[in-house]
Structure formats: C-alpha cells, structure tokens
Amino acid sequence: MRKSLVATAALGLVLAAAPAHAAPARKPNVIVILADDLGYGDTGVYGSTFVKTPHIDALAADGVRFTQGYVSHPVCAPSRAALLTGRYQTRFGYEFNPVGRDRTSGVSLDEVFIGQVMQKAGYRTGMVGKWHLGESGGYHPVARGFDQFFGTTAGANAFIVETKPGDEFHTPRGAEGSYGTVEGGAGLGSGSEAEQMVRLRERAPITRGREVVEVKEYLTDAFTDEAVRFIGANKDKPFFLYLAHTTPHTPLQAPAKYVDRYRHIENKGQRVYAAMVSSLDDSVGALRAKLKAEGLEKDTVIILLSDNGCAGYIGDACTNAPLNGYKGMHLEGGVRVPFIMAWPGHIEPKVETRVISSLDIAPTAAALAGGAMPRGADGVNLMPYLTGKDAGAPHPTLYWRSGVNFAIRDGDWKMWMINRAEPSEVASNAARVTPEGVKAELSPRGHFVMLYDLKADPGETTNLAATRPDVVAKLKARIEAWDKGNVPPQWTSMRQSVREVEGELVKLYP
C-alpha cells in the first residue's frame, strides 16, 4: 500500500527554483472530466475512424495518453465511488448499481471523498453532472466535499426535453431499462419517446445544490456552460472541478447541431452516438478555451476518462475495439477505458503503456494540493511516475469483485472467474430489473474461468485457463488474499443478467 507523503515532484521543483523573495507557486487547479459509457475506440486518438474528436485528440497530444488505464468496476456507480475515494468500492460495500436505492442511501458516510480533502487544502470545489452516489442528507454532493453542485443525482437523465427539427433519438431494443427505471424499478410508462423524456426529467430533476432548476438546453451543453462559469468564478484561487457528463449514456439523443456533423452516416445508432461524443468533445474544447482565456493553462491539470466501457445493449452504435467485451463485463472492454492526463509545462506529452487506475485520481489530486487521502488509498499518486522519478509499475496487480465474480490483472496475466448460469436460463442484452434481495450465489457448477496473456493477446481471444492451471491457482490465491480486505455489499444487484461468453452461459452482477 502506497501513501502520498509529499506534493508532486514537479510542484516541488518549481518551489525550489523560486527566489527567496518570490511568492509561493500557486497550487495547480485540477479538473476531472468523466464520460459515461464512452467506448475505448470511440475517439479519434483511440482509433475511431468516423467520430471526430479534435479537442480530445489535442488534449492527448498535450499530455499523457494511457493505453492501459482501468476503472475499478464495469458499471457506473461503483466505478464513481472508487474514483472519488481512491479505494476499491468493495472496501465499503458500494458494489452494485443502486437502481433507485441511492434516493435514501449512498456511499458510506465513513468514507472521505476527494472533494473534502481538496476543501481542507484550501481549494474551491465544484461538481457538475451525474452523481449516482446518494441523494438525501449527508449523501448529497454538497455534503461530500463540493462547495457547488449542478446536475443530477440519478444514474441517467433526459438530454432533450423540448424536441426541435433535426434532433434525433435512438433507443435500441433492450436499452430502455438502462434509463427507464430511475426509481425502485418503476418504468416510464407509454407514450412517445419525447413524452417519456419529460417524465424522466421530472423523476430525476436537475438541481443547483438541493434546489430543482429548469434546464431546457441540451444537457451536455448545460453542464459545459456551468463548468465554464465555475472556472471563471474561481480563477483567482486554486479549484477542483469534477465534471461528470451523462454523455454518451442512454438515452441516445442529440440535437441537430451535433447530428448535422454526421448526417452522412446511414446507421442511425452510430450517427446519434457519434453526435453525442461530439458534444463531449466540444465540452473539452470549451473548458480548455476558458482556461487559455484566463491564463490558467499551465496552472491546471486535466484528467479525462470514462467510468466504464461502452454498452453492448446499444448494439453497433459504439465500440470498445480492439478490446473484447462491454460495460458490465470484466473483460478488457468493460474495464479498460480512454484515459488522458495533461498538465502543460509540467508533464511531458507521451503515450504511457504502464498500468494505471481510476483509483489513482484521488491520491494524485490530493498530492497536488499538498495533502493525502486518509484511510489508506488503494490508488497511488501518479506524479512521480509521470515526471520520471519512478520508473516502476504504479499497479503490478489490480483486482475486481462483483458478487461471486472476480477478476485480476497481474502483470500481463488477466483472469476472470464468472458464475455459471443455469442451463434453463436464457442469454439477453436487455437490462431487466431483478427483485431486491436476490443475492449473488455461486452455482453448484462453479465458476467459468478465463485466463489471458494480455501482452500476446490484448483482445482476449485465446483462453489459457485449461493449459495454465499453475497461473490460475496463483491468481486465485491472490484474489482470496485481497478479498479479505473487503466487506459484504450494502445491497444486492438488481441488474443480474445472463450472457453468453465463449459458448458458456454466465451471470453478471452489475
């Protein structure tokens, strides 16, 4: 376990080089931009051939593009909980998506969020976008370290509530439940998609602080405008901004101004999804333009990533290529994500192939502010690795748990142990709600084990479990040792689903 004992090496060098009479160097601002269900291969810099992302590509060119950046869970809420605490969510029970239960509960109040650490270090803190970690009382963002909040506490929201000519919606079969059960499994009822979006917004309103506000603009644009205002209002003091966009999560919706860029694409799903990613890209561009206008480019660290891989239930609209798997799966396509970090003038631009994790964001931000995450973070401060002071591996081993399913990456070995489904069950991509209280229990038929050598086989195409029992045994022992530091989940998975993987029926617990 590593602890950040000092601020960043780069910041220290600046201070050391300053004359004795000079004012102390300004602590850097930190902006974390989190996309929602963005595919590994859905930006230009990560290989897309038709989604144009000039601003994200430019951010990567000015910073570090990680090719092996991971998240701690392949679905939204648990992944976010780990990002903001620097600890595996299984350490404190936030193991499954809440599916409405975050209305009255949330991440354990014993956990310290990065916003609280940054506040203590003298930062102004703002949160814009999707929370999904608790709504009431002490679970709300304004009680977890954010001076300002503008967004939605729910897991999904309508992007468009007033449809205009040229706007497009796309809902593939099976995707409805991904946004239509925002509270206790209740659906949105009948009617046109536009009518359903109005009901969705009513159930999951946008709030400023705890007060409901009316937002008529395209939601991604509204979040971007708020983030730009936050930068302007706090330009004279160090700030921490967590911009958690809901795009390109379902419902797939885009206004004409973004769709017009892709009218040539005949596949409607790809067209609308690409337009949504363009809105994310424009958001990155708007923030960077504001930083430049305020003279804050070299005073600001920007971290961009997705909370998990893109969703298989939206079909061919998105891609995690060249990786295998989707959101909800512990294959690489579910947990390896686009991940970029830029600090012009302090971090040399490069492509970084070492394994890092979203767990590292909180410890890194805390170190930049001159502090540290309490309670022993599972993540590490990345700055020594990025400035050349540490040539080692930030994470020789990473772990995942979701109910009775486990995964591990140890060096180049990757193993996924997944519960076998019963032969009578049927595979489906549909997002159905499982009754609360139905626990994840290991089948009498045991785990289906998948083992891959990621160096030789990054696409996870050749399962080596049968031919390398020695590696399987070693990795199982490491998982068992790690799992002793976890606690039981605070609620059951309500999105249990059956999928077919390598010809086997298996069960997921998102």
Side-chain angles (χ1 to χ4, degrees):
M1 187 176 295
R2 305 172 176 87
K3 294 184 178 180
S4 300
L5 300 178
V6 295
T8 68
L11 186 58
L13 290 173
V14 172
L15 289 170
H21 62 275
R26 171 183 172 137
K27 292 180 180 179
N29 310 309
V30 180
I31 299 177
V32 178
I33 305 172
L34 185 67
D36 200 348
D37 294 4
L38 177 67
Y40 187 85
D42 283 329
T43 59
V45 72
Y46 279 92
S48 179
T49 58
F50 64 89
V51 184
K52 306 302 180 186
T53 54
H55 300 298
I56 293 174
D57 298 353
L59 182 70
D62 291 340
V64 179
R65 178 171 69 88
F66 298 98
T67 60
Q68 299 193 84
Y70 287 87
V71 290
S72 68
H73 201 289
V75 297
C76 304
S79 175
R80 291 158 192 267
L83 186 157
L84 291 174
T85 62
R87 283 162 42 88
Y88 286 112
Q89 65 281 351
T90 46
R91 304 294 196 202
F92 47 89
Y94 211 75
E95 191 163 343
F96 306 117
N97 262 343
V99 194
R101 291 166 291 189
D102 49 337
R103 294 272 179 166
T104 56
S105 186
V107 172
S108 169
L109 298 180
D110 292 332
E111 293 301 311
V112 177
F113 280 40
I114 181 58
Q116 293 166 297
V117 174
M118 302 301 274
Q119 280 181 328
K120 188 175 180 179
Y123 278 62
R124 289 288 295 172
T125 58
M127 196 259 147
V128 178
K130 170 177 167 177
W131 181 239
H132 213 194
L133 301 176
E135 178 176 330
S136 63
Y139 299 109
H140 192 276
V142 297
R144 304 308 291 261
F146 292 100
D147 298 317
Q148 299 176 31
F149 170 69
F150 177 83
T152 177
T153 56
N157 215 302
F159 290 90
I160 296 173
V161 291
E162 292 187 355
T163 308
K164 298 180 176 61
D167 297 352
E168 289 198 355
F169 292 10
H170 179 68
T171 305
R173 180 183 294 273
E176 301 91 338
S178 63
Y179 63 83
T181 53
V182 293
E183 182 180 2
L188 292 173
S190 60
S192 68
E193 185 159 6
E195 292 170 333
Q196 290 187 46
M197 291 307 101
V198 171
R199 288 196 289 273
L200 175 57
R201 180 65 63 81
E202 289 172 349
R203 290 190 183 188
I206 305 302
T207 63
R208 184 178 298 282
R210 298 179 189 266
E211 298 298 319
V212 175
V213 294
E214 185 179 25
V215 174
K216 294 184 178 181
E217 310 100 291
Y218 186 58
L219 194 58
T220 305
D221 293 346
F223 289 160
T224 299
D225 292 345
E226 182 70 16
V228 168
R229 282 193 292 270
F230 179 85
I231 293 171
N234 295 282
K235 61 185 178 182
D236 296 326
K237 64 200 77 170
F239 62 78
F240 176 77
L241 173 62
Y242 173 47
L243 173 56
H245 276 298
T246 48
T247 198
H249 192 289
T250 53
L252 300 186
Q253 302 175 311
K257 69 175 183 176
Y258 295 120
V259 177
D260 285 347
R261 302 175 185 179
Y262 299 98
R263 295 288 180 192
H264 60 284
I265 298 178
E266 294 183 6
N267 183 308
K268 186 177 182 182
Q270 292 179 354
R271 182 168 68 246
V272 178
Y273 182 89
M276 295 178 76
V277 176
S278 273
S279 73
L280 170 68
D281 187 68
D282 276 15
S283 180
V284 173
L287 265 64
R288 296 197 78 196
K290 180 62 173 177
L291 292 172
K292 183 176 182 180
E294 301 292 357
L296 296 175
E297 279 185 299
K298 293 186 177 181
D299 293 321
T300 305
V301 180
I302 300 178
I303 303 170
L304 170 75
L305 73 162
S306 180
D307 61 346
N308 46 251
C310 79
Y313 51 74
I314 65 172
D316 61 359
C318 68
T319 180
N320 292 314
L323 308 177
N324 188 15
Y326 291 95
K327 173 183 179 179
M329 298 180 175
H330 290 87
L331 293 169
E332 292 291 281
V335 293
R336 194 195 295 195
V337 296
F339 205 135
I340 298 166
M341 180 174 175
W343 189 10
H346 300 271
I347 302 175
E348 289 296 321
K350 63 178 176 178
V351 176
E352 177 59 73
T353 61
R354 286 177 289 183
V355 172
I356 58 106
S357 170
S358 58
L359 293 164
D360 303 330
I361 291 174
T364 302
L368 288 166
M373 296 301 295
R375 302 197 62 185
D378 291 302
V380 302
N381 172 19
L382 289 174
M383 289 306 301
Y385 300 95
L386 300 182
T387 58
K389 282 194 168 291
D390 195 328
H395 288 283
T397 308
L398 287 173
Y399 301 90
W400 293 266
R401 186 183 84 180
S402 183
V404 294
N405 296 340
F406 294 87
I408 180 173
R409 170 151 187 182
D410 186 59
D412 290 323
W413 288 112
K414 169 77 175 297
M415 186 173 75
W416 186 19
M417 300 166 55
I418 185 167
N419 199 14
R420 295 180 188 270
E422 298 307 311
S424 59
E425 297 184 273
V426 178
S428 172
N429 274 333
R432 299 187 179 93
V433 174
T434 306
E436 186 171 2
V438 178
K439 295 183 178 180
E441 295 184 353
L442 186 61
S443 165
R445 300 168 61 233
H447 286 114
F448 176 55
V449 179
M450 287 163 278
L451 176 69
Y452 304 100
D453 177 353
L454 293 180
K455 184 175 183 180
D457 181 23
E460 296 174 301
T461 61
T462 304
N463 185 357
L464 303 174
T467 59
R468 293 302 306 267
D470 57 323
V471 177
V472 171
K474 180 185 75 172
L475 298 184
K476 281 185 177 180
R478 293 197 172 177
I479 287 173
E480 289 173 3
W482 167 78
D483 198 36
K484 291 178 180 178
N486 294 325
V487 301
Q490 69 186 69
W491 48 51
T492 59
S493 168
M494 289 178 65
R495 294 287 193 194
Q496 299 178 27
S497 61
V498 174
R499 305 291 172 90
E500 183 174 324
V501 179
E502 295 191 2
E504 294 281 341
L505 283 180
V506 296
K507 203 151 191 176
L508 305 180
Y509 302 93

